[in-house]
Amino acid sequence: EVQLVESGGGLVQPGGSLRLSCAASGFTFSSYWMSWVRQAPGKGLEWVANIKQDGSEKYYVDSLEGRFTISRDNAKNSLYLQMNSLRAEDTAVYYCARDGTPFLFGGRFDYWGQGTLVTVSS
Amino acid sequence: DIVMTQSPDSLAVSLGERATINCKSSQSVLYSSSNKNYLAWYQQKPGQPPKLLIYWASTRESGVPARFSGSGSGTDFTLTISSLQAEDVAVYYCQQYFSSPLTFGGGTKVEIK
């Protein structure tokens, strides 16, 4: 059974940093692009970043202005999101999501974690 | 960036009736060489992550009931629930994966009338 379990969320002050993790199991993690998608309270979905199977390609939504870094450790079946210079508008549930096409880039998300809540507030 | 616009924002449908959700992209998401539309639909129930329903605009994900269907091409797409069930109450999102950044529509909330 495919499982994605996020962790690392919490309350952080504006300007602070946080590192999210996503533990993957039940599939060959190294065969899939992976993404982070966020959802502000009561709002819609926003794709944040994705990373290729071997980590050699990474893409981000423009609005992040270089504050976030996506990474992965295939030996640990884990995906990460380092978030720096956090702002109130980064408050959201952050989901880890698997790309729907193994070995290639698909762009649709066939499995999602339950999400981890990040709250940026003083 | 490709902007995805959904309509309506919400709709109330009687049990057993048809629900229709529209999604329009600001540019075509049809890849001509493959003749595939890079368009997906998701269902999100309260307190849950999104669930993939449809991809390639009209291909149903494994396990998704046949009452869900997707149609359209180019810039205009539709998700249809042919006979609304109580468990279909949710917010539905379209998403394009034609180009980066990947973008979602604003969502359509489906309720029971």
Side-chain angles (χ1 to χ4, degrees), chain B residues 48-97:
Chain B
Q48 296 185 19
K51 173 187 174 183
L52 178 64
L53 295 177
I54 302 280
Y55 58 97
W56 299 134
S58 60
T59 301
R60 209 176 299 115
E61 176 74 339
S62 176
V64 173
R67 63 181 181 274
F68 291 93
S69 64
S71 63
S73 184
T75 61
D76 292 280
F77 301 91
T78 300
L79 175 69
T80 301
I81 309 173
S82 60
S83 176
L84 191 74
Q85 304 299 303
E87 60 265 32
D88 300 334
V89 169
V91 179
Y92 293 83
Y93 295 94
C94 60
Q95 178 229 336
Q96 67 81 20
Y97 48 103

Short mmCIF file of all heavy atoms in Angstrom, two decimals, chain B residues 48-97:
data_model
loop_
_atom_site.label_atom_id
_atom_site.label_comp_id
_atom_site.label_asym_id
_atom_site.label_seq_id
_atom_site.Cartn_x
_atom_site.Cartn_y
_atom_site.Cartn_z
N GLN B 48 -9.70 15.91 4.31
CA GLN B 48 -8.95 14.88 3.60
C GLN B 48 -8.08 15.51 2.51
O GLN B 48 -8.37 16.61 2.05
CB GLN B 48 -9.90 13.86 2.96
CG GLN B 48 -10.72 13.07 3.96
CD GLN B 48 -11.55 12.00 3.26
OE1 GLN B 48 -11.28 11.61 2.12
NE2 GLN B 48 -12.57 11.51 3.97
N PRO B 49 -7.04 14.78 2.09
CA PRO B 49 -6.27 15.27 0.94
C PRO B 49 -7.07 15.07 -0.34
O PRO B 49 -8.04 14.29 -0.36
CB PRO B 49 -5.02 14.38 0.96
CG PRO B 49 -5.48 13.11 1.61
CD PRO B 49 -6.50 13.53 2.63
N PRO B 50 -6.67 15.72 -1.40
CA PRO B 50 -7.33 15.50 -2.69
C PRO B 50 -7.14 14.06 -3.17
O PRO B 50 -6.16 13.39 -2.81
CB PRO B 50 -6.62 16.48 -3.62
CG PRO B 50 -6.05 17.52 -2.72
CD PRO B 50 -5.67 16.78 -1.47
N LYS B 51 -8.09 13.64 -3.99
CA LYS B 51 -8.04 12.30 -4.59
C LYS B 51 -8.14 12.46 -6.10
O LYS B 51 -9.03 13.16 -6.60
CB LYS B 51 -9.22 11.47 -4.08
CG LYS B 51 -9.39 10.12 -4.76
CD LYS B 51 -10.67 9.44 -4.31
CE LYS B 51 -10.92 8.16 -5.08
NZ LYS B 51 -12.21 7.54 -4.71
N LEU B 52 -7.25 11.81 -6.82
CA LEU B 52 -7.27 11.87 -8.28
C LEU B 52 -8.47 11.10 -8.83
O LEU B 52 -8.65 9.93 -8.51
CB LEU B 52 -5.97 11.30 -8.85
CG LEU B 52 -5.85 11.25 -10.37
CD1 LEU B 52 -5.86 12.64 -10.98
CD2 LEU B 52 -4.58 10.49 -10.77
N LEU B 53 -9.27 11.78 -9.65
CA LEU B 53 -10.43 11.14 -10.27
C LEU B 53 -10.19 10.82 -11.74
O LEU B 53 -10.47 9.73 -12.21
CB LEU B 53 -11.66 12.06 -10.18
CG LEU B 53 -12.24 12.41 -8.83
CD1 LEU B 53 -13.39 13.38 -9.01
CD2 LEU B 53 -12.69 11.16 -8.09
N ILE B 54 -9.71 11.82 -12.46
CA ILE B 54 -9.63 11.78 -13.92
C ILE B 54 -8.28 12.36 -14.35
O ILE B 54 -7.81 13.36 -13.77
CB ILE B 54 -10.74 12.65 -14.56
CG1 ILE B 54 -12.14 12.20 -14.12
CG2 ILE B 54 -10.61 12.67 -16.09
CD1 ILE B 54 -12.69 11.01 -14.83
N TYR B 55 -7.65 11.76 -15.34
CA TYR B 55 -6.46 12.35 -15.96
C TYR B 55 -6.56 12.21 -17.47
O TYR B 55 -7.46 11.52 -17.98
CB TYR B 55 -5.18 11.73 -15.41
CG TYR B 55 -5.07 10.22 -15.57
CD1 TYR B 55 -4.37 9.68 -16.63
CD2 TYR B 55 -5.67 9.36 -14.66
CE1 TYR B 55 -4.27 8.31 -16.80
CE2 TYR B 55 -5.58 7.99 -14.81
CZ TYR B 55 -4.87 7.48 -15.88
OH TYR B 55 -4.77 6.11 -16.03
N TRP B 56 -5.65 12.88 -18.19
CA TRP B 56 -5.77 12.99 -19.65
C TRP B 56 -7.18 13.46 -20.03
O TRP B 56 -7.73 13.06 -21.04
CB TRP B 56 -5.45 11.69 -20.37
CG TRP B 56 -4.06 11.15 -20.18
CD1 TRP B 56 -3.73 9.86 -19.89
CD2 TRP B 56 -2.82 11.86 -20.24
NE1 TRP B 56 -2.37 9.74 -19.77
CE2 TRP B 56 -1.78 10.95 -19.98
CE3 TRP B 56 -2.47 13.21 -20.49
CZ2 TRP B 56 -0.43 11.31 -19.95
CZ3 TRP B 56 -1.13 13.56 -20.46
CH2 TRP B 56 -0.14 12.63 -20.20
N ALA B 57 -7.78 14.26 -19.17
CA ALA B 57 -9.08 14.90 -19.37
C ALA B 57 -10.26 13.94 -19.30
O ALA B 57 -11.37 14.36 -18.94
CB ALA B 57 -9.13 15.65 -20.70
N SER B 58 -10.04 12.66 -19.61
CA SER B 58 -11.19 11.76 -19.67
C SER B 58 -10.91 10.34 -19.20
O SER B 58 -11.82 9.50 -19.26
CB SER B 58 -11.73 11.70 -21.11
OG SER B 58 -10.73 11.22 -22.00
N THR B 59 -9.71 10.05 -18.75
CA THR B 59 -9.36 8.71 -18.28
C THR B 59 -9.63 8.61 -16.79
O THR B 59 -9.05 9.35 -15.99
CB THR B 59 -7.89 8.39 -18.57
OG1 THR B 59 -7.66 8.46 -19.97
CG2 THR B 59 -7.55 6.99 -18.07
N ARG B 60 -10.50 7.71 -16.42
CA ARG B 60 -10.85 7.53 -15.02
C ARG B 60 -9.74 6.79 -14.29
O ARG B 60 -9.24 5.76 -14.77
CB ARG B 60 -12.17 6.76 -14.91
CG ARG B 60 -13.01 7.04 -13.70
CD ARG B 60 -14.34 6.28 -13.75
NE ARG B 60 -15.12 6.67 -14.91
CZ ARG B 60 -15.43 5.85 -15.91
NH1 ARG B 60 -15.04 4.59 -15.89
NH2 ARG B 60 -16.14 6.30 -16.92
N GLU B 61 -9.35 7.29 -13.12
CA GLU B 61 -8.36 6.62 -12.30
C GLU B 61 -8.95 5.30 -11.82
O GLU B 61 -10.18 5.16 -11.63
CB GLU B 61 -7.97 7.50 -11.12
CG GLU B 61 -7.00 6.90 -10.11
CD GLU B 61 -5.56 6.79 -10.59
OE1 GLU B 61 -5.33 6.81 -11.82
OE2 GLU B 61 -4.66 6.67 -9.73
N SER B 62 -8.10 4.31 -11.60
CA SER B 62 -8.54 3.01 -11.11
C SER B 62 -9.35 3.16 -9.83
O SER B 62 -8.95 3.86 -8.91
CB SER B 62 -7.32 2.13 -10.86
OG SER B 62 -7.70 0.90 -10.31
N GLY B 63 -10.51 2.48 -9.79
CA GLY B 63 -11.34 2.50 -8.59
C GLY B 63 -12.34 3.62 -8.52
O GLY B 63 -13.19 3.64 -7.62
N VAL B 64 -12.28 4.56 -9.44
CA VAL B 64 -13.22 5.69 -9.44
C VAL B 64 -14.54 5.22 -10.07
O VAL B 64 -14.53 4.64 -11.17
CB VAL B 64 -12.64 6.89 -10.21
CG1 VAL B 64 -13.68 8.00 -10.37
CG2 VAL B 64 -11.40 7.41 -9.49
N PRO B 65 -15.65 5.50 -9.42
CA PRO B 65 -16.94 5.04 -9.96
C PRO B 65 -17.23 5.58 -11.35
O PRO B 65 -16.84 6.71 -11.70
CB PRO B 65 -17.95 5.58 -8.94
CG PRO B 65 -17.18 5.73 -7.68
CD PRO B 65 -15.80 6.14 -8.10
N ALA B 66 -17.95 4.81 -12.12
CA ALA B 66 -18.24 5.15 -13.51
C ALA B 66 -19.15 6.37 -13.64
O ALA B 66 -19.26 6.95 -14.73
CB ALA B 66 -18.86 3.96 -14.23
N ARG B 67 -19.78 6.78 -12.54
CA ARG B 67 -20.64 7.98 -12.63
C ARG B 67 -19.82 9.26 -12.82
O ARG B 67 -20.38 10.30 -13.18
CB ARG B 67 -21.54 8.12 -11.41
CG ARG B 67 -20.83 8.31 -10.09
CD ARG B 67 -21.84 8.42 -8.94
NE ARG B 67 -21.21 8.63 -7.65
CZ ARG B 67 -20.76 7.65 -6.89
NH1 ARG B 67 -20.88 6.39 -7.28
NH2 ARG B 67 -20.19 7.92 -5.70
N PHE B 68 -18.52 9.18 -12.59
CA PHE B 68 -17.64 10.33 -12.83
C PHE B 68 -17.07 10.22 -14.25
O PHE B 68 -16.50 9.20 -14.63
CB PHE B 68 -16.48 10.35 -11.83
CG PHE B 68 -16.89 10.66 -10.42
CD1 PHE B 68 -17.18 9.63 -9.54
CD2 PHE B 68 -16.99 11.97 -9.98
CE1 PHE B 68 -17.57 9.89 -8.24
CE2 PHE B 68 -17.37 12.26 -8.67
CZ PHE B 68 -17.68 11.21 -7.80
N SER B 69 -17.22 11.30 -15.01
CA SER B 69 -16.65 11.31 -16.35
C SER B 69 -16.10 12.69 -16.67
O SER B 69 -16.59 13.70 -16.17
CB SER B 69 -17.69 10.90 -17.39
OG SER B 69 -18.74 11.83 -17.44
N GLY B 70 -15.06 12.70 -17.50
CA GLY B 70 -14.45 13.94 -17.91
C GLY B 70 -14.51 14.08 -19.42
O GLY B 70 -14.44 13.08 -20.15
N SER B 71 -14.65 15.31 -19.88
CA SER B 71 -14.70 15.55 -21.32
C SER B 71 -14.08 16.90 -21.63
O SER B 71 -13.76 17.67 -20.71
CB SER B 71 -16.14 15.49 -21.83
OG SER B 71 -16.92 16.52 -21.23
N GLY B 72 -13.92 17.16 -22.91
CA GLY B 72 -13.39 18.44 -23.36
C GLY B 72 -12.03 18.30 -23.99
O GLY B 72 -11.38 17.25 -23.91
N SER B 73 -11.58 19.40 -24.60
CA SER B 73 -10.28 19.40 -25.26
C SER B 73 -9.82 20.84 -25.47
O SER B 73 -10.65 21.75 -25.58
CB SER B 73 -10.36 18.68 -26.61
OG SER B 73 -9.07 18.60 -27.20
N GLY B 74 -8.52 21.00 -25.52
CA GLY B 74 -7.96 22.33 -25.78
C GLY B 74 -7.97 23.21 -24.55
O GLY B 74 -7.05 23.16 -23.72
N THR B 75 -9.00 24.02 -24.43
CA THR B 75 -9.10 24.94 -23.29
C THR B 75 -10.36 24.78 -22.47
O THR B 75 -10.50 25.42 -21.42
CB THR B 75 -9.05 26.40 -23.77
OG1 THR B 75 -10.16 26.64 -24.65
CG2 THR B 75 -7.74 26.71 -24.51
N ASP B 76 -11.29 23.96 -22.91
CA ASP B 76 -12.57 23.84 -22.21
C ASP B 76 -12.87 22.39 -21.82
O ASP B 76 -12.89 21.51 -22.69
CB ASP B 76 -13.70 24.39 -23.08
CG ASP B 76 -13.60 25.89 -23.25
OD1 ASP B 76 -14.02 26.61 -22.32
OD2 ASP B 76 -13.07 26.33 -24.29
N PHE B 77 -13.11 22.21 -20.52
CA PHE B 77 -13.26 20.87 -19.98
C PHE B 77 -14.44 20.80 -19.02
O PHE B 77 -14.85 21.82 -18.45
CB PHE B 77 -11.98 20.45 -19.25
CG PHE B 77 -10.79 20.47 -20.15
CD1 PHE B 77 -10.01 21.61 -20.27
CD2 PHE B 77 -10.45 19.36 -20.91
CE1 PHE B 77 -8.92 21.65 -21.13
CE2 PHE B 77 -9.37 19.38 -21.77
CZ PHE B 77 -8.60 20.52 -21.89
N THR B 78 -14.96 19.58 -18.86
CA THR B 78 -16.12 19.36 -18.01
C THR B 78 -15.94 18.09 -17.20
O THR B 78 -15.48 17.07 -17.72
CB THR B 78 -17.40 19.26 -18.85
OG1 THR B 78 -17.59 20.47 -19.58
CG2 THR B 78 -18.62 19.02 -17.96
N LEU B 79 -16.29 18.18 -15.92
CA LEU B 79 -16.41 16.99 -15.07
C LEU B 79 -17.90 16.80 -14.82
O LEU B 79 -18.59 17.73 -14.38
CB LEU B 79 -15.68 17.18 -13.75
CG LEU B 79 -15.85 16.03 -12.73
CD1 LEU B 79 -15.15 14.78 -13.22
CD2 LEU B 79 -15.33 16.43 -11.35
N THR B 80 -18.37 15.59 -15.08
CA THR B 80 -19.79 15.28 -14.90
C THR B 80 -19.94 14.14 -13.89
O THR B 80 -19.24 13.13 -13.99
CB THR B 80 -20.45 14.87 -16.23
OG1 THR B 80 -20.32 15.94 -17.17
CG2 THR B 80 -21.92 14.57 -16.03
N ILE B 81 -20.84 14.36 -12.94
CA ILE B 81 -21.25 13.29 -12.04
C ILE B 81 -22.67 12.95 -12.50
O ILE B 81 -23.59 13.76 -12.34
CB ILE B 81 -21.24 13.72 -10.56
CG1 ILE B 81 -19.88 14.36 -10.19
CG2 ILE B 81 -21.52 12.54 -9.66
CD1 ILE B 81 -19.84 14.98 -8.81
N SER B 82 -22.82 11.78 -13.05
CA SER B 82 -24.08 11.47 -13.76
C SER B 82 -25.27 11.32 -12.83
O SER B 82 -26.40 11.68 -13.17
CB SER B 82 -23.92 10.20 -14.60
OG SER B 82 -23.59 9.11 -13.75
N SER B 83 -25.03 10.78 -11.65
CA SER B 83 -26.10 10.57 -10.68
C SER B 83 -25.51 10.81 -9.29
O SER B 83 -24.86 9.93 -8.72
CB SER B 83 -26.64 9.15 -10.80
OG SER B 83 -27.63 8.89 -9.80
N LEU B 84 -25.72 12.00 -8.77
CA LEU B 84 -25.06 12.41 -7.54
C LEU B 84 -25.44 11.53 -6.35
O LEU B 84 -26.63 11.28 -6.10
CB LEU B 84 -25.39 13.88 -7.23
CG LEU B 84 -24.54 14.50 -6.13
CD1 LEU B 84 -23.13 14.79 -6.63
CD2 LEU B 84 -25.20 15.77 -5.60
N GLN B 85 -24.41 11.10 -5.65
CA GLN B 85 -24.60 10.32 -4.42
C GLN B 85 -24.18 11.18 -3.22
O GLN B 85 -23.40 12.13 -3.36
CB GLN B 85 -23.77 9.05 -4.47
CG GLN B 85 -24.04 8.18 -5.68
CD GLN B 85 -25.47 7.70 -5.76
OE1 GLN B 85 -25.97 7.06 -4.83
NE2 GLN B 85 -26.15 8.01 -6.86
N ALA B 86 -24.66 10.80 -2.05
CA ALA B 86 -24.35 11.58 -0.85
C ALA B 86 -22.85 11.68 -0.61
O ALA B 86 -22.35 12.71 -0.14
CB ALA B 86 -25.07 10.97 0.36
N GLU B 87 -22.13 10.62 -0.94
CA GLU B 87 -20.69 10.60 -0.70
C GLU B 87 -19.90 11.46 -1.69
O GLU B 87 -18.69 11.58 -1.57
CB GLU B 87 -20.16 9.16 -0.73
CG GLU B 87 -20.36 8.42 -2.03
CD GLU B 87 -21.62 7.57 -2.03
OE1 GLU B 87 -22.60 7.96 -1.37
OE2 GLU B 87 -21.59 6.50 -2.69
N ASP B 88 -20.59 12.04 -2.67
CA ASP B 88 -19.90 12.89 -3.66
C ASP B 88 -19.81 14.34 -3.20
O ASP B 88 -19.22 15.18 -3.91
CB ASP B 88 -20.63 12.83 -5.00
CG ASP B 88 -20.70 11.42 -5.56
OD1 ASP B 88 -19.81 10.60 -5.22
OD2 ASP B 88 -21.63 11.14 -6.33
N VAL B 89 -20.39 14.65 -2.05
CA VAL B 89 -20.28 16.00 -1.51
C VAL B 89 -18.80 16.29 -1.24
O VAL B 89 -18.15 15.58 -0.46
CB VAL B 89 -21.11 16.16 -0.23
CG1 VAL B 89 -20.77 17.47 0.48
CG2 VAL B 89 -22.59 16.08 -0.55
N ALA B 90 -18.29 17.32 -1.90
CA ALA B 90 -16.85 17.58 -1.87
C ALA B 90 -16.56 18.85 -2.66
O ALA B 90 -17.46 19.43 -3.27
CB ALA B 90 -16.07 16.41 -2.48
N VAL B 91 -15.30 19.23 -2.64
CA VAL B 91 -14.82 20.28 -3.54
C VAL B 91 -14.02 19.60 -4.66
O VAL B 91 -13.22 18.70 -4.40
CB VAL B 91 -13.93 21.30 -2.81
CG1 VAL B 91 -13.42 22.37 -3.78
CG2 VAL B 91 -14.72 21.97 -1.68
N TYR B 92 -14.27 20.03 -5.88
CA TYR B 92 -13.61 19.43 -7.04
C TYR B 92 -12.69 20.46 -7.69
O TYR B 92 -13.06 21.63 -7.86
CB TYR B 92 -14.67 18.95 -8.04
CG TYR B 92 -15.47 17.79 -7.49
CD1 TYR B 92 -16.56 18.02 -6.65
CD2 TYR B 92 -15.11 16.48 -7.76
CE1 TYR B 92 -17.29 16.96 -6.11
CE2 TYR B 92 -15.82 15.42 -7.24
CZ TYR B 92 -16.91 15.68 -6.40
OH TYR B 92 -17.60 14.62 -5.86
N TYR B 93 -11.48 20.00 -8.03
CA TYR B 93 -10.48 20.87 -8.64
C TYR B 93 -10.02 20.29 -9.97
O TYR B 93 -9.81 19.08 -10.10
CB TYR B 93 -9.24 20.96 -7.74
CG TYR B 93 -9.47 21.63 -6.41
CD1 TYR B 93 -9.77 20.89 -5.27
CD2 TYR B 93 -9.34 23.01 -6.27
CE1 TYR B 93 -9.96 21.49 -4.04
CE2 TYR B 93 -9.53 23.63 -5.05
CZ TYR B 93 -9.84 22.87 -3.93
OH TYR B 93 -10.03 23.47 -2.72
N CYS B 94 -9.82 21.18 -10.94
CA CYS B 94 -9.12 20.77 -12.15
C CYS B 94 -7.67 21.22 -12.02
O CYS B 94 -7.34 22.13 -11.23
CB CYS B 94 -9.76 21.35 -13.40
SG CYS B 94 -9.83 23.15 -13.51
N GLN B 95 -6.78 20.58 -12.76
CA GLN B 95 -5.35 20.90 -12.73
C GLN B 95 -4.75 20.65 -14.09
O GLN B 95 -5.02 19.63 -14.71
CB GLN B 95 -4.62 20.03 -11.70
CG GLN B 95 -3.11 20.26 -11.64
CD GLN B 95 -2.30 18.98 -11.70
OE1 GLN B 95 -2.79 17.89 -11.36
NE2 GLN B 95 -1.06 19.07 -12.13
N GLN B 96 -3.93 21.58 -14.55
CA GLN B 96 -3.21 21.36 -15.80
C GLN B 96 -1.79 20.90 -15.50
O GLN B 96 -1.16 21.39 -14.56
CB GLN B 96 -3.23 22.61 -16.68
CG GLN B 96 -2.45 23.81 -16.16
CD GLN B 96 -0.96 23.75 -16.41
OE1 GLN B 96 -0.50 23.00 -17.29
NE2 GLN B 96 -0.19 24.51 -15.64
N TYR B 97 -1.32 19.95 -16.29
CA TYR B 97 0.07 19.52 -16.17
C TYR B 97 0.77 19.60 -17.52
O TYR B 97 1.71 18.86 -17.80
CB TYR B 97 0.19 18.13 -15.54
CG TYR B 97 -0.71 17.04 -16.08
CD1 TYR B 97 -0.21 16.07 -16.94
CD2 TYR B 97 -2.04 16.94 -15.70
CE1 TYR B 97 -1.01 15.04 -17.42
CE2 TYR B 97 -2.85 15.93 -16.16
CZ TYR B 97 -2.34 14.98 -17.02
OH TYR B 97 -3.14 13.96 -17.49
#
